[in-house]
Amino acid sequence: MKLQRMNRRALTLGALAVSGALALTACGSDDTGNASGGGSSASASNNSAIKCDDAKGQLQASGSSAQKNAIDAWVKAFTAACKDVQINYNPTGSGAGVTAFTQGQTAFAGSDSPLKPEEATAAKKVCGGNAAVDLPMVGGPIAIGYNVPGVDNLVLDSATLAKIFDGKITKWDDAAIQKLNPDAKLPSTKIQAFHRSDESGTTDNFTKYLIATAPADWKYSGGKAWQAKGGQSAQGSAGLAQQVNQTPGAISYFELSYATGSIKAAALKTGAATPAAATVENATKAISSAKVVGTGNDLALQLNYKPTADGAYPLTLVTYEILCEKGNKADTLAATKAFLTYTASEDGQKQLTAAQYAPIPAEIITKVRSTISNLS
């Protein structure tokens, strides 16, 4: 588990701030890095991919808190090249983000789950009768963060996780946990399981994993709203991480970049010989086996929660940027295309690894770029 300890040190150095809504300004440069639209010369290498294309004004977006750290990194780079666009991303959670978008309050939503049929229908009203599309932009592992003093390399499996979050396992020295960790000195500390209080795509993906891999122990139907009884709740990935960080005996689920401070991330037992650590590389192995199940330019994915590759981390999510394929508001279209063109670019995707996220596989992100270029 040396790799896991190294990864935690990297996380402490590389994770970005998680509090508050983002309000930064930006405009752009051409592909050669020369200034355009009155912007300054781009000095950072990733600025060469940024073009503002005369975009101006404010861009409002909200949703997934899982991608907040990625959005921070992207806007920082975008700001270095651009000055005339103000981007405000509010990490309200996937459910609230989709609702704000379908009510016409934002230019796009971030969601860790693709649109449901009823949400797609509602989106048509703000898209002038046109369809909204799910564009996968951010990938990564959902870490099982825990705070158990003296236990540095915890291993869990889906059945044990299901019982923990359903209140069936309540002590850290439970026999099921001891069996998975024969060399660990597990305390009799009470388990404090935290789940999301808001509707969350991270919750949706976490429970999909439990449904797919531990159906005998997780009897709930799943979705963005937490269904199991008991446990404690907090809002957003940052809220969960804060609770785990300050609560001995705590355990929760959130995107890997939130696993900082005293939080450690458990490795998950799969069909492979060795438990899979929650790393970007291991998540990429799993996401690479995802299938596109959307139609047309909609790129909704079906994730594989039972990967067979050695080291593939089974508990992953993909965050989508959701917006109108056609019928976007004229005053935000140019800014939306400029920003998302950058996030989907090769340089934009490279930013993800540094922020502890997984880039979208090449064959999928190529389709995302094509859809963005044709937005209207």
Side-chain angles (χ1 to χ4, degrees):
M1 291 299 177
K2 183 178 180 181
L3 175 61
Q4 187 176 1
R5 292 193 295 271
M6 292 175 63
N7 184 50
R8 289 198 300 271
R9 289 196 293 271
L11 284 172
T12 302
L13 294 172
L16 302 172
V18 299
S19 61
L22 183 62
L24 297 170
T25 58
C27 189
S29 63
D30 62 26
D31 284 338
T32 65
N34 297 323
S36 67
S40 59
S41 297
S43 57
S45 62
N46 56 21
N47 290 345
S48 63
I50 301 174
K51 294 177 65 176
C52 272
D53 293 329
D54 298 321
K56 298 178 180 179
Q58 292 192 359
L59 189 62
Q60 304 290 337
S62 65
S64 166
S65 63
Q67 73 165 356
K68 174 61 166 57
N69 293 341
I71 293 285
D72 281 347
W74 282 328
V75 175
K76 181 178 180 180
F78 199 67
T79 304
C82 306
K83 295 181 179 180
D84 296 337
V85 179
Q86 184 177 19
I87 302 173
N88 302 288
Y89 183 80
N90 193 358
T92 54
S94 297
V98 170
T99 297
F101 172 71
T102 58
Q103 292 179 349
Q105 299 172 9
T106 55
F108 68 89
S111 176
D112 305 321
S113 300
L115 290 173
K116 296 178 181 179
E118 62 271 22
E119 293 170 337
T121 298
K124 286 186 176 182
K125 296 179 181 179
V126 297
C127 294
N130 301 291
V133 288
D134 301 289
L135 301 181
M137 198 70 72
V138 181
I142 299 175
I144 300 300
Y146 68 96
N147 183 351
V148 184
V151 180
D152 294 330
N153 300 306
L154 185 69
V155 175
L156 296 170
D157 60 16
S158 57
T160 304
L161 276 173
K163 293 173 184 176
I164 287 173
F165 281 91
D166 199 24
K168 301 297 194 303
I169 292 178
T170 60
K171 299 285 187 179
W172 277 109
D173 61 353
D174 187 273
I177 303 177
Q178 288 186 329
K179 184 177 180 180
L180 292 166
N181 300 273
D183 298 326
K185 295 182 179 180
L186 295 166
S188 59
T189 307
K190 180 181 178 181
I191 294 175
Q192 307 281 354
F194 287 88
H195 58 265
R196 289 281 287 269
S197 60
D198 52 322
E199 289 198 356
S200 161
T202 311
T203 293
D204 192 17
N205 283 280
F206 176 52
T207 55
K208 281 179 179 176
Y209 163 72
L210 296 179
I211 291 168
T213 59
D217 298 296
W218 193 259
K219 300 295 187 179
Y220 305 96
S221 61
K224 293 177 182 177
W226 185 257
Q227 296 173 325
K229 306 299 181 184
Q232 302 179 67
S233 65
Q235 184 167 355
S237 295
L240 290 181
Q242 181 181 20
Q243 291 298 325
V244 174
N245 198 44
Q246 67 187 19
T247 309
I251 186 171
S252 191
Y253 56 92
F254 34 77
E255 201 282 326
L256 180 62
S257 67
Y258 290 89
T260 61
S262 63
I263 301 173
K264 303 176 183 68
L268 296 182
K269 184 176 176 59
T270 66
T274 304
T279 68
V280 169
E281 295 79 9
N282 288 348
T284 299
K285 292 179 182 179
I287 293 173
S288 295
S289 62
K291 296 180 180 179
V292 176
V293 293
T295 58
N297 288 320
D298 182 80
L299 298 173
L301 301 177
Q302 183 178 63
L303 296 175
N304 179 12
Y305 296 110
K306 297 180 180 180
T308 58
D310 186 44
Y313 185 76
L315 180 49
T316 61
L317 62 74
V318 166
T319 302
Y320 302 88
E321 313 310 338
I322 297 172
L323 70 165
C324 303
E325 183 176 6
K326 299 181 185 298
N328 289 283
K329 295 179 180 178
D331 59 343
T332 58
L333 176 60
T336 299
K337 290 183 69 171
F339 182 62
L340 295 185
T341 294
Y342 168 63
T343 65
S345 71
E346 183 177 352
D347 283 344
Q349 289 290 297
K350 284 180 180 178
Q351 289 270 31
L352 294 178
T353 302
Q356 298 300 324
Y357 294 90
I360 301 299
E363 62 274 15
I364 298 174
I365 202 65
T366 298
K367 297 176 181 178
V368 171
R369 293 168 187 157
S370 176
T371 298
I372 292 171
S373 68
N374 292 315
L375 292 173
S376 63

